[in-house]
């Protein structure tokens, strides 16, 4: 019966197979949870059903299913991955006062790396914690990556301690997210501040330390964000800086391949780091934005609209994962894997997000992103007036009444 089908049919079947197979491969290698993996296998089931409908001989079909199952089982239960030794390897990591950087220093130090870590304050809690818990192999440096003189001094100090050795790993971790709210409501200083730290600061460190990394044929790891690839609402300043960083990192990966240097980007999901759980920080940011706006712009958007955005960010931050181990494990993997990946999705949901972004129609991925991040209920005040909507929704009014009662 297979002879009854024309050449275009087999071309179509090959294209379908490649698309479904590529989607499955992306899902299964993206550190996803059981749910998305099940979706991938359902896609494979649909493909099998199509093959069966097109009269593929049953014996051959069973053989294909068995082969696919065997390959999948082998990848899931095979021998542990081979890792490189840590002896004699040095790593320079930025932004270690708290969060990913602080936790990564402790792990890398415990594994036997010679760690050079930068902090903003050598007398701060994070620096004292590292000095107390880590081995004498740890070298702490006070470095603001936006200050070229401090970066150059850190390079000189690191080179002096390394001697004739090169630098195995450069981990670009330092970054800031000092913005929430619509792009029109964000300060120009916020855009510049994000670019100065997240892009130009990382660029300065990378260019300065590249000769040491090339000498060791080592690795460059950059902690970035999905906001640099996808348009998260109310994160324009942060996302734009990370987008510039992602493009620079991708370009660098191609350019350094002939030198034997591996370049990887790590894309974490939502974790509790830095100021994310600091209520005072969010209130200060909110007040600063309100003070900076012109009366006309504040009137068009409405203070309640901006308050809702602040509350949503706080709520999102509270739900973030306090366990940083997915990112720390990924940093270790990227430093010690014989062939590190170009991109790592660290934490639940990131791989699924990129899968939807890459394979589903734009309208679906766009709506998914909006529903995933900030679920705003209020429109700007001017739009509510134009639409004749209730300017004081019942649920918002009830919340205000409850707050007043609590204050009493």
């Amino acid at each position: 019966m297979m002879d009854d089908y024309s050449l275009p049919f087999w071309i179509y079947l090959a294209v379908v197979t490649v698309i479904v197979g590529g989607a499955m491969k992306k899902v299964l290698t993206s550190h996803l949870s059981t749910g998305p993996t099940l979706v991938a296998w359902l896609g494979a089931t649909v493909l099998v059903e199509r093959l069966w409908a097109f009269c593929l001989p049953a014996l051959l079909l069973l053989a294909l299913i068995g082969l696919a199952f065997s390959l999948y089982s082998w990848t899931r239960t095979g021998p542990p991955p081979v890792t490189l030794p840590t002896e004699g390897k040095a790593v320079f990591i930025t932004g270690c006062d708290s969060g990913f950087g602080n936790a990564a220093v402790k792990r890398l130090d415990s594994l036997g790396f010679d760690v050079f870590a930068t902090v903003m304050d050598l007398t701060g809690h994070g620096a004292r914690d590292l000095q107390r818990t880590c081995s004498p192999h740890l070298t702490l440096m006070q470095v603001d990556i936006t200050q070229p003189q401090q970066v150059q001094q850190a390079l000189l100090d690191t080179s002096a301690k390394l001697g004739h050795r090169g630098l195995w790993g450069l981990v670009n971790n330092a970054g800031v997210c000092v913005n929430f709210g619509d792009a029109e409501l964000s300060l120009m200083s916020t855009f510049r501040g994000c670019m100065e730290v997240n892009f130009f600061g990382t660029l300065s460190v990378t260019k300065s330390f590249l000769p040491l990394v090339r000498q060791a044929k080592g690795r460059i790891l950059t902690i970035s964000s999905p906001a640099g690839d996808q348009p998260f609402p109310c994160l324009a300043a942060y996302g734009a800086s990370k987008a510039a960083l992602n493009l620079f990192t991708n370009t660098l990966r191609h350019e350094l391949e002939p030198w034997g240097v591996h370049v990887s980007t790590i894309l974490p999901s939502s974790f509790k780091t830095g100021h994310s759980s600091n209520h005072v920080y969010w209130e200060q940011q909110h007040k600063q934005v309100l003070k900076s706006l012109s009366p006309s712009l504040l009137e068009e958007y409405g203070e309640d609209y901006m308050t809702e955005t602040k509350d949503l960010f706080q709520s999102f931050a509270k739900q973030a994962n306090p366990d940083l181990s997915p990112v720390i494990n990924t940093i270790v993997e990227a430093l010690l894997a014989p062939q590190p990946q170009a991109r790592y999705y660290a934490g639940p949901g990131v791989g699924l997000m990129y899968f939807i972004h890459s394979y589903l129609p734009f309208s679906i991925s766009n709506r998914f992103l909006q529903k995933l991040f900030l679920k705003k209920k209020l429109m700007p005040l001017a739009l509510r007036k134009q639409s004749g909507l209730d300017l004081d929704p019942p649920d918002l009014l009830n919340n205000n009444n409850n707050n007043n009662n609590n204050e009493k």
Side-chain angles (χ1 to χ4, degrees), residues 127-346:
R128 294 198 307 271
D129 180 42
L130 291 176
Q131 289 171 334
R132 184 177 64 254
T133 58
C134 293
S135 73
H137 294 288
L138 171 65
T139 301
L140 281 179
M141 303 176 179
Q142 185 164 320
V143 179
D144 179 347
I145 65 171
T146 66
Q147 302 299 316
Q149 301 90 343
Q150 295 185 27
V151 173
Q152 287 304 309
Q153 187 59 53
L155 174 62
L156 293 175
D157 294 342
T158 303
S159 299
K161 286 207 169 189
L162 287 175
H164 296 294
R165 288 189 298 162
L167 185 66
W168 175 255
L170 170 62
V171 182
N172 290 314
N173 169 70
V176 294
C177 180
V178 292
N179 172 71
F180 63 88
D182 300 57
E184 187 178 11
L185 305 177
S186 302
L187 301 172
M188 284 300 297
S189 60
T190 298
F191 282 89
R192 292 191 178 98
C194 285
M195 287 297 295
E196 194 64 36
V197 177
N198 298 339
F199 179 67
F200 288 111
T202 301
L203 174 63
S204 174
V205 171
T206 303
K207 284 175 63 67
S208 298
F209 283 81
L210 250 177
L212 291 178
V213 179
R214 285 193 289 102
Q215 181 183 341
K217 294 187 176 182
R219 282 99 194 272
I220 297 176
L221 278 58
T222 298
I223 312 298
S224 187
S225 169
D229 293 317
Q230 304 180 42
F232 283 86
C234 299
L235 281 179
Y238 178 71
S241 66
K242 290 296 187 178
L245 181 61
N246 289 347
L247 183 59
F248 166 70
T249 304
N250 289 334
T251 304
L252 197 65
R253 185 176 70 254
H254 294 294
E255 295 173 350
L256 293 180
E257 184 177 357
W259 294 91
V261 174
H262 294 282
V263 180
S264 300
T265 301
I266 297 176
L267 301 157
S269 58
S270 178
F271 291 91
K272 286 187 178 180
T273 60
H275 298 290
S276 62
S277 57
N278 188 335
H279 176 76
V280 176
Y281 167 79
W282 291 110
E283 293 297 332
Q284 290 175 343
Q285 290 285 307
H286 181 57
K287 291 178 181 178
Q288 182 181 2
V289 172
L290 287 178
K291 289 180 180 179
S292 69
L293 293 180
S294 65
S296 59
L297 199 56
L298 181 58
E299 183 179 352
E300 288 186 323
Y301 276 89
E303 188 171 337
D304 57 348
Y305 175 87
M306 301 179 64
T307 300
E308 183 197 38
T309 302
K310 182 260 298 181
D311 292 340
L312 287 171
F313 264 87
Q314 281 189 282
S315 176
F316 188 81
K318 288 179 181 178
Q319 298 171 7
N321 189 357
D323 179 15
L324 308 183
S325 59
V327 177
I328 310 308
N329 293 340
T330 301
I331 291 174
V332 173
E333 179 183 345
L335 285 172
L336 294 179
Q339 293 295 326
Q341 301 175 27
R343 280 195 160 198
Y344 289 92
Y345 302 138

Side-chain angles (χ1 to χ4, degrees), residues 32-76:
L32 298 182
S33 59
T34 306
T37 304
L38 180 60
V39 172
W41 282 104
L42 286 175
T45 303
V46 172
L47 175 61
V48 168
E49 187 273 334
R50 297 287 291 180
L51 291 172
W52 189 283
F54 290 142
C55 303
L56 193 67
L59 186 60
L60 179 57
L61 178 61
L62 291 174
L64 289 174
I65 294 175
L67 178 60
F69 181 78
S70 299
L71 289 174
Y72 177 73
S73 301
W74 183 84
T75 58
R76 302 294 287 183

Side-chain angles (χ1 to χ4, degrees), residues 354-394:
Y354 272 89
F355 174 76
I356 292 174
H357 178 72
S358 302
Y359 288 100
L360 296 188
F362 172 77
S363 58
I364 297 177
S365 63
N366 190 54
R367 187 166 183 80
F368 171 80
L369 194 63
Q370 291 175 337
K371 295 297 182 182
L372 172 73
F373 191 46
L374 296 183
K375 302 175 183 177
K376 292 187 68 65
K377 296 180 180 179
L378 289 178
M379 289 194 302
L381 183 58
L383 295 179
R384 280 178 273 161
K385 289 181 177 179
Q386 292 176 10
S387 304
L389 297 177
D390 187 358
L391 299 183
D392 203 355

